Amino acid sequence: MASSKDWFETVAEAQRLARKRVPKSVYLALLAGSEAGRTLDDNVAAFGELGFRPHIADLPAQRDLTATVLGQELSLPVICSPTGVQAVDPDGEVAVARAAASSGTALGLSSFASKPIEDVVAANPKTFFQAYWLGDKDTMLARLDRAKQAGAKGLMVTLDWSFVTARDWGSPPLPEKVDLKTMAKFAPQVATRPGWLARFLRSGTLPDLTTPNLVPRGEQGPTFFGAYGEWMFTPPPSWDDLAWLRRQWDGPFLLKGITHPDDAKRAIDIGTTAISVSNHGGNNLDSTPATIRLLPSIAAAVGDQLEILLDGGVRRGSDVVKAIALGATAVMIGRPYLWGMAANGERGVHNVLEILRQGIDSALYALARSSLAELSPDDIVVPDGFHRGLR
């Protein structure tokens, strides 16, 4: 399908449109990477270093793109990763949920989300709840119980964050809350993007910077920065703490932020269902290698004892295929679908997922693979020195 007013053909095009359609601070927040951005850049660049070994005959007429992740049947091996407070579009996480449902896939809902988990699960039953180690254990249990009652299909525990907020290029100014003072401060930026403001005005709302899923249903959640502060000053978890948390959740359980094979093995020890090889999209410790460089050593360390997801740097369907060939079960995406939403709301998120679907299908065809299960490292050309994992 050619690009049109309401449809784009690549994630790069979605990013260009997003830059034109949202205020500068909102756009810069979607680009954020810690310190010098070395990990942020490497996440993307590393995929470009990998090649394919295609075939020219006996190519499969039909390709099976389905995958099972955390017990959910998906039409493609791509999940929308949890991202906090989506002030990109009035419908926020609910728009993402509907778009993921229309593409036959799942999403992770951040505990820092701007929409209640009940509304998101209603829009897409294939919703996983994402949690941080935040607050005391009783508060965490109440949070998990609310997610269970809402119908969340699994728990994602995010650990790849070390509170590195420095940005060599400067962090965008983000408000604590939207009030008259904030509106006056950001008015010059918003004035240059009237379409973005119009979307909110038509919905009868302003960007919501509170976090309703951190408190019992119906209560006023803290602001994003209030929640961040509590998280920052909560003592970090031990492996015993994570084992305790695992026992509290009787469904699929994923640890997000694995970059070391030893941590992957410890995840098995506590009964984890799945891990995500992740560096928080380049927002954790800068100079951590790209996740695709680390994936093979982690896959070798755990074998088939748990599911492996990968996030960081995925921009094309061919990137998804490279990750699966090197050991992943599926991938998660963050910036790409946020750019899609900034460009064209719910339809833009769906657009991004369908771009990736088409790219996955084309790569399978050229590699003469009729399903994801047939992919192997032999399909990939890996240059010397590419891997950064421990063996």
Side-chain angles (χ1 to χ4, degrees):
M1 178 183 292
S3 295
S4 67
K5 177 178 178 291
D6 296 316
W7 197 261
F8 39 85
E9 290 191 295
T10 67
V11 170
E13 190 174 350
Q15 181 180 358
R16 289 192 293 270
L17 289 171
R19 185 172 186 174
K20 293 178 180 179
R21 295 181 181 179
V22 298
K24 182 178 180 180
S25 291
V26 175
Y27 178 72
L28 289 178
L30 302 183
L31 291 182
S34 61
E35 298 185 331
R38 294 185 180 92
T39 296
L40 174 68
D41 293 341
D42 195 39
N43 274 347
V44 177
F47 276 105
E49 295 178 23
L50 296 171
F52 284 119
R53 291 189 174 96
H55 295 277
I56 60 168
D58 293 328
L59 306 183
Q62 302 293 328
R63 280 79 59 196
D64 181 7
L65 275 59
T66 60
T68 300
V69 181
L70 295 172
Q72 299 303 301
E73 297 291 332
L74 310 179
S75 72
L76 77 165
V78 180
I79 295 171
C80 292
S81 186
T83 59
V85 184
Q86 295 174 2
V88 175
D89 182 86
D91 289 336
E93 295 84 3
V94 173
V96 176
R98 290 194 297 249
S102 66
S103 287
T105 192
L107 74 150
L109 178 70
S110 174
S111 54
F112 283 10
S114 61
K115 300 295 183 184
I117 186 171
E118 294 80 9
D119 294 353
V120 175
V121 173
N124 187 343
K126 295 179 180 180
T127 296
F128 309 118
F129 183 65
Q130 177 273 337
Y132 296 105
W133 187 262
L134 187 162
D136 60 35
K137 287 186 175 180
D138 287 342
T139 302
M140 292 182 207
L141 288 177
R143 203 172 293 143
L144 266 56
D145 184 64
R146 179 179 173 185
K148 289 178 183 176
Q149 295 301 318
K153 294 298 191 293
L155 183 68
M156 296 178 166
V157 182
T158 297
L159 301 168
D160 53 339
W161 189 266
S162 52
F163 303 102
V164 180
T165 58
R167 307 280 188 265
D168 283 14
W169 47 270
S171 295
L174 297 173
E176 173 75 10
K177 59 182 178 179
V178 177
D179 53 19
L180 290 175
K181 182 179 179 180
T182 298
M183 288 189 283
K185 178 180 178 180
F186 284 85
Q189 285 191 37
V190 175
T192 65
R193 301 292 186 267
W196 178 80
L197 178 61
R199 276 189 272 176
F200 281 94
L201 294 179
R202 285 195 297 269
S203 72
T205 64
L206 289 173
D208 188 355
L209 304 181
T210 58
T211 55
N213 295 306
L214 291 176
V215 295
R217 188 178 186 183
E219 292 187 11
Q220 178 69 35
T223 64
F224 176 87
F225 289 106
Y228 187 90
E230 183 181 1
W231 176 30
M232 179 182 292
F233 291 106
T234 299
S238 65
W239 279 106
D240 286 342
D241 289 327
L242 295 173
W244 169 84
L245 188 63
R246 175 61 182 115
R247 293 193 295 271
Q248 311 313 309
W249 185 270
D250 58 6
F253 183 94
L254 177 144
L255 287 184
K256 181 178 182 294
I258 302 293
T259 58
H260 198 295
D262 289 351
D263 286 346
K265 293 174 184 176
R266 294 296 297 269
I268 294 171
D269 292 341
I270 68 169
T272 299
T273 311
I275 58 173
S276 179
V277 180
S278 172
N279 50 43
H280 216 108
N283 276 286
N284 195 21
L285 182 62
D286 200 21
S287 295
T288 301
T291 51
I292 192 66
R293 298 189 193 278
L294 301 172
L295 173 64
S297 64
I298 292 172
V302 303
D304 59 359
Q305 297 179 77
L306 43 65
E307 296 172 15
I308 301 175
L309 282 74
L310 175 138
D311 67 81
V314 174
R315 300 292 183 267
R316 298 171 179 81
S318 58
D319 295 340
V320 180
V321 170
K322 290 173 182 177
I324 293 174
L326 294 180
T329 306
V331 306
M332 293 197 289
I333 59 168
R335 290 183 182 87
Y337 81 77
L338 292 174
W339 290 329
M341 183 160 60
N344 197 21
E346 176 186 333
R347 183 168 170 79
V349 179
H350 174 63
N351 191 158
V352 164
L353 289 168
E354 295 308 306
I355 288 168
L356 296 179
R357 184 196 306 278
Q358 183 180 30
I360 296 167
D361 187 65
S362 296
L364 286 179
Y365 177 78
L367 293 171
R369 302 301 191 188
S370 61
S371 70
L372 301 173
E374 293 181 1
L375 291 167
S376 80
D378 290 340
D379 294 312
I380 309 299
V381 179
V382 182
D384 291 341
F386 177 83
H387 297 302
R388 300 290 190 273
L390 302 176
R391 295 187 182 276

